Amino acid sequence: MRYSKPDYYDQFQCIAGRCPATCCAGWQIVIDEDSLEKYEQEQGAFGNRLRNSIDWEEGIFYQYGQRCAFLNEENLCDLQAELGESALCDTCRKYPRHEEEFEGLREYSLSLSCPKAAEMMLTNPEKVRFIQWETDEEDDFEDFDYLMFTQLEDAREVMFSIIQNRDIDFRIRMMKIKEFGLELQQCIDENRFFDVDEVTERYDRWSKNGWREENVEILLSDFGAPERKKREFSVFYQMEHLNKNWTVRLDNTFHILFDRGNNEYIKQYHDFQNAYGYDSANKREWERLGEQLLMFFIHTYFCGAVYDDRIYSKTALAVFSVQWIQEFFMAQWLQQNGQAGMEEFLETSWSYAREVEHSDPNLELLEDWMEEIVES
């Protein structure tokens, strides 16, 4: 069995009560079967409290005011304090650690939705690297398309090299990643499986040789196109909203960016880029933040296409997520008259991830929408 984890993975330590957004509030906490069995047998007064705090039909902890029944006023867990860390259910014990399993490979990552994990990822000035090791352990997968998976792994490695090529404008890198994903999807849809390697090799050469396209400025101008942005923004209102603050954020963002018309959006967009973004003295830092975000989304979700053949939608969703985290931050920067900085960017990132990463319906909706857009 092969294993892989990002180089910062082992440095994670929960900051518990100091966390600006505890993971024990706002989400349903699903309890695994082994933990439910242990909780059912717990004795004494705390055992009674434990059993009365569980929705046994749904297998979740009750929440009061969107807070877990065991989350106390200091934002600490009464269950852990009373019974120890070993008594936590799998969800609470593992988060924000995340696992993806494939035949012969288990990949570990941290969830962007955790404020501490987001800080670790996004304040890292270095290009993220992945630590790999092997054991004699064997797994048992049925009906796993190993050929496609190896092709996806190879393609993802090339995507990593494109994303981390800091000699190329990051907007161009994002565009190239989407093009790459679309070409791979076309190969799969047309049963041209052996053309996948040729596509991957071509993008690998591009990554090494750099951008040779003319009219770069025309291509980049689409990043500030208000009509496209408004169409994209509409999908957020179709999603389920896990936190009421997210709904407020959507309304505020739409008002700031779009209520005063297209010309005002374009002006605000260029004001932001000149002061903080791609056209500012902060360009390298702004691009590095985008790079770390895109590495996270591609690393975490791309190879999952081996299970559903949805290569393009996962690639497009990764790029979409980076661009909209940037847009949400831009709106906050405008609202705060240019006073928003790294702290606000981190909060924007994990707030977005909380609405997307932890909702299968939202992930499904967004992937469906990506496919509809490319087909129209």
Side-chain angles (χ1 to χ4, degrees), residues 233 237 244-260 268 327-328 330-332 334-335:
F233 193 87
Y237 283 111
K244 63 181 180 181
N245 292 333
W246 179 250
T247 306
V248 174
R249 184 175 208 135
L250 290 181
D251 292 341
N252 287 342
T253 299
F254 188 90
H255 170 70
I256 293 166
L257 296 184
F258 304 120
D259 266 2
R260 287 174 287 178
Q268 291 183 137
E327 289 279 324
F328 281 119
M330 180 177 79
Q332 189 164 1
L334 290 166
Q335 186 176 33

Side-chain angles (χ1 to χ4, degrees), residues 9-16 18 97 116 120:
Y9 181 86
D10 291 333
Q11 299 170 23
F12 175 79
Q13 288 187 325
C14 178
I15 57 176
R18 294 183 290 114
R97 299 167 186 87
K116 182 59 180 177
M120 291 172 62

Side-chain angles (χ1 to χ4, degrees), residues 37-51:
E37 186 175 336
K38 286 193 300 183
Y39 297 159
E40 192 172 22
Q41 298 171 3
E42 187 63 35
Q43 301 299 308
F46 192 81
N48 290 332
R49 177 187 172 189
L50 185 52
R51 284 182 289 277

Side-chain angles (χ1 to χ4, degrees), residues 51-94:
R51 284 182 289 277
N52 291 331
S53 299
I54 294 173
D55 181 334
W56 291 93
E57 184 175 339
E58 297 293 333
I60 60 176
F61 288 115
Y62 284 125
Q63 291 194 342
Y64 303 102
Q66 291 196 313
R67 291 169 63 87
C68 174
F70 289 99
L71 183 63
N72 63 33
E73 293 181 356
E74 287 75 38
N75 278 344
L76 298 175
C77 176
D78 283 343
L79 193 156
Q80 180 175 348
E82 182 74 21
L83 301 179
E85 185 175 352
S86 62
L88 297 176
C89 65
D90 284 350
T91 300
C92 296
R93 182 169 49 82
K94 292 179 178 180

